[in-house]
Every structure is written in structure tokens, then in C-alpha cells.
Amino acid sequence: MPLKRSLTLPLLTLYGLGNILGAGIYVLIGKVAGVAGLLTPLSFLFASLLVITTAFTYSELSSRYPVSAGEAVYLFKAFGKQQPSLIIGIMIAITGVLSAATITVGFVGYLQIFIDVPNYLAITPLLLILGGLATWGIRQSVQAAALLTLIEIVGLLIIIWVGRDYLSYVDTSIYIDSFKFNDLSIWAGIFAGAFLAFYAFIGFEDMVNVAEEVIEPEKNMPKAILLSLSIATTLYVLVSLVAVNAVSPQTLADHKAPLALIYEQLSGFSPSLIAGIGMLAIINGALIQIIMASRVLYGMSQQKWLPEILGKINNNTKTPIHATIVITLIVYILALWLPIMTLAELTSLFILIIFSLMHLALLSIKKKYPNPNKNVRCYHFSIPLIGLVTNTGFVLFYFLS
């Protein structure tokens, strides 16, 4: 039974934006500030440059092959071998559950502003609700995600508004004094921050895994990917500028709900408003990751690479319920087991490896099939080549640092 095409361009853009904006900025901005200091905005800028070529690569791949389990299928189309495609599909599902677990752990930090509750008491009901929503139906799930996305955008705009004085006059002397071009330790901090900030940008790649549920995916998928990434980059740079100027980087790093702290210090009001929005943002990110990972298992089952039960669609909800249950259980275990920094770093590492492979796959596909049909969105050959070099370089930096 095929999936139902019901996602429009606005819904798809909000779906991707919600995934990108979730825990990345609401939780990890403090961790980025802890390693990059006052140069945190530069780390976010570097991270955005790292993902831009990948966004173009995913745009073209999703336009050529608008199917679920996108990355696994792209690799198979490029090299014609099942085993590497199965491995990459499993890696994608792993990144989904790692990211959802990261986000879920971040939820506890914002919740504890309201009530001091043990991790397991917060995580258990949250994942029961999210798993239930993800099985309810794709349109209902994405509409809920779209609403939550609008709320989390409002939260970031509030931070930018209360910190507008720091944006109207940016004291560049602070950054000039902090930055010394020949100081390797400063560069190490910027790149370490960019590696963490990179996590805040991932999510656009998950959009390709709902391609079979998108109306006119050849046109709408590339547009939605680039739109969501552009909006996210603008918001991140502005918020990070406010953050490191309003609160010391180390204080941000030590706080479990950094944006709530910024709001409290700048406005003089209770942090409850931003804490509440932060919780919704985190819930949104986790929901989208669960949807994505379950669709990857479904897609690989449809390709006969995983057990048939994972590819079964419920007659009433039209969603892969068994795959969703499996993903939700794994997220639950990881959220209770691993700390947030470990989860975020592992997610970033896996995603960088996958991105490198996707650039390699597109280079091969472009060579094999240089003239796709007229509806396919194509870009210059140099884009995946640059992406392959930069993403591989960041993977090497991680292992050598």
C-alpha cells in the first residue's frame, strides 16, 4: 500500500525548519559557547557554510529520486550495490534516534525550570505521546509539527527582540581582540564549536525521507530544503550574537536552558515563557526525528532490505506503525543511557560521514546520468565535489582533535 501524498510546499518547509530549529539552538547554543567563547557566531557561520553544498546535493538527489529511505536509494543508484545502501540506511536511522534522544534529554533541562523531576519521569510520558502522534497520521503529525515550528520561531524572534540593542550596535572590538589569526587554539575552538553547531543545522536532509508523501516532490523538495536552511541560518546568526553579548559564554555553557537564561537577564521577566517555548521546540524536533527514522525503516523494508513487518502500513492511519514503535523504543533507551554532549557529537559525526557519501553518490550519478528529465533540479558538478572535500575534512578534524 503506497503512502499518501498530502504535504504541500509550506508544510514541507515548516517540517524541515522545525527539525533544524529544535534542540540545536534551544539546547546546544550554550555548549557551542563553552568551546568557541565570544566567537560563537563565527562557529555558527562556519557550520552554515559547511551544510550549504550538502543542501544543494540533497536538493538534486531528492529531485532525481523522490522516494522514502532516500540516502540508501541514492547510494544504490550510484553504485548498484545493496550492502552499502543497507549500511547507509541503518546509519540514517541511527542518526535519527541519536538526534531524537539528544533532543529528549534537552527537554528535561527546560522542564526542570518548572518542576524538579527525574529524567525517566519526564522522558517516559513524552515519548509515549510522541510515538502515539507519529503513528496517528503523517498529515496530522506534520500539521502538529508545523504549529510547533511557528511557536519556536516566535521564541527565537523574542530573543532577538529583547537583545536588539546588541544587534543595532555590535562592538566589533570584542571580536577583534578575541580573534588572533595565527593562534591555533582559537581556530581549534571555532572549529570545535562549528562541529557542535553543525548539529543545529541538520534536519534538512530528513525531509527527503518523506518524499513519497509530498505533492510534486521534484519541484517542492528542493525549494523546501533551501528555504528552511536559509531561514534557520539567519535566525542562528542573530540569536548567537545576542547570546554571547548578553551572557558570558561559560555561564551559557553551564546552564541547561540557555535561551531561557538570556531572556530572563535581558527582559527582567520570568524565564517561564521561553522555557515553555523551548520545551515545545524540543518536542517538535523529537517528533520529526521519530517520523523520519520510521520512514527510513519503512523504505528499506519496501526495498526488501529489512524484515517485511517494518514496511507494513496500517489501514486506518496509513503510517508504518511497527517501524514507529521500534524507533520510539530505541530513542527511549538512548535518552536514558547517554549524556547530551555524547549524543550530539555522535549525531554530528554520523551525519558528516553520510553527507560525504551523498556527495560521492551524486558525483557518480551525474557522471552516469548527466541529462535527467526536465523536471529534475540540477546543479553544477563542482558543488558535490566541494561538499565532499569539506565534509570529509570535518570528519578528519573530529578524529584528530
Side-chain angles (χ1 to χ4, degrees):
M1 181 185 295
L3 296 167
K4 184 181 179 181
R5 293 198 182 277
S6 57
L7 300 183
T8 60
L9 176 60
L11 271 179
L12 183 61
T13 302
L14 287 172
Y15 172 83
L17 193 58
N19 203 13
I20 296 169
L21 293 180
I25 194 72
Y26 276 88
V27 176
L28 287 181
I29 189 168
K31 305 304 179 187
V32 176
V35 294
L38 292 173
L39 299 174
T40 292
L42 200 54
S43 288
F44 276 96
L45 186 59
F46 274 37
S48 71
L49 295 175
L50 177 64
V51 299
I52 189 63
T53 52
T54 306
F56 281 115
T57 287
Y58 269 82
S59 294
E60 180 169 340
L61 286 170
S62 63
S63 186
R64 285 176 179 260
Y65 309 108
V67 294
S68 295
E71 289 93 344
V73 174
Y74 306 154
L75 208 62
F76 183 77
K77 295 292 184 182
F79 305 111
K81 296 185 181 297
Q82 179 178 324
Q83 190 170 8
S85 300
L86 175 60
I87 292 170
I88 197 77
I90 291 173
M91 284 180 69
I92 289 291
I94 289 172
T95 60
V97 296
L98 282 170
S99 183
T102 306
I103 294 166
T104 303
V105 174
F107 170 83
V108 179
Y110 278 89
L111 179 63
Q112 287 176 343
I113 287 180
F114 299 99
I115 181 171
D116 189 12
V117 61
N119 283 18
Y120 74 92
L121 280 182
I123 290 169
T124 302
L126 172 63
L127 288 176
L128 283 172
I129 292 168
L130 294 181
L133 187 55
T135 60
W136 182 19
I138 184 64
R139 186 172 180 84
Q140 293 87 345
S141 299
V142 174
Q143 283 175 338
L147 176 61
L148 293 173
T149 298
L150 292 173
I151 293 171
E152 64 189 89
I153 291 173
V154 169
L156 296 180
L157 291 176
I158 289 172
I159 296 296
I160 293 168
W161 175 253
V162 297
R164 62 192 181 280
D165 289 344
Y166 293 107
L167 298 176
S168 60
Y169 175 71
V170 177
D171 188 354
T172 55
S173 64
I174 295 174
Y175 300 99
I176 293 171
D177 292 341
S178 300
F179 186 80
K180 295 179 176 60
F181 190 81
N182 60 350
D183 190 334
L184 294 180
S185 64
I186 290 176
W187 281 107
I190 292 170
F191 281 112
F195 187 85
L196 278 175
F198 172 78
Y199 175 84
F201 285 92
I202 63 177
F204 65 88
E205 78 287 350
D206 294 342
M207 297 163 71
V208 304
N209 291 303
V210 295
E212 291 185 29
E213 294 155 284
V214 175
I215 298 167
E216 295 187 280
E218 294 86 355
K219 296 179 181 178
N220 287 331
M221 188 64 75
K223 290 179 183 178
I225 288 173
L226 296 176
L227 272 172
S228 59
L229 191 60
S230 299
I231 295 168
T233 300
T234 303
L235 290 171
Y236 283 178
V237 171
L238 293 175
V239 169
S240 61
L241 277 169
V242 170
V244 295
N245 281 282
V247 181
S248 73
Q250 192 54 53
T251 302
L252 286 172
D254 293 338
H255 204 276
K256 288 184 177 180
L259 291 191
L261 173 66
I262 294 167
Y263 176 75
E264 182 180 26
Q265 295 215 1
L266 290 180
S267 70
F269 297 128
S270 166
S272 299
L273 173 63
I274 295 300
I277 292 175
M279 287 169 59
L280 293 176
I282 290 165
I283 289 170
N284 191 23
L287 172 61
I288 292 172
Q289 288 293 335
I290 290 170
I291 293 171
M292 179 280 295
S294 66
R295 293 324 187 264
V296 172
L297 295 190
Y298 159 81
M300 289 195 294
S301 176
Q302 291 293 300
Q303 298 288 334
K304 311 299 183 186
W305 297 343
L306 287 179
E308 184 180 344
I309 191 172
L310 295 175
K312 287 190 174 181
I313 300 295
N314 183 271
N315 290 329
N316 295 321
T317 66
K318 301 296 188 293
T319 58
I321 286 183
H322 297 102
T324 304
I325 291 171
V326 168
I327 291 300
T328 305
L329 284 173
I330 297 172
V331 170
Y332 180 70
I333 293 167
L334 289 175
L336 292 177
W337 180 32
L338 294 175
I340 191 168
M341 283 285 283
T342 302
L343 289 166
E345 286 183 357
L346 286 174
T347 305
S348 293
L349 178 61
F350 270 74
I351 285 289
L352 280 167
I353 293 170
I354 291 164
F355 283 0
S356 297
L357 291 173
M358 290 304 100
H359 290 302
L360 191 62
L362 183 56
L363 287 169
S364 175
I365 288 169
K366 278 180 164 298
K367 186 176 180 181
K368 286 182 179 179
Y369 314 108
N371 299 307
N373 71 63
K374 62 180 181 180
N375 292 325
V376 170
R377 184 69 61 88
C378 286
Y379 302 102
H380 195 270
F381 195 87
S382 62
I383 288 177
L385 184 60
I386 294 169
L388 177 62
V389 172
T390 53
N391 280 269
T392 304
F394 256 74
V395 172
L396 293 174
F397 169 78
Y398 174 81
F399 285 111
L400 294 175
S401 62

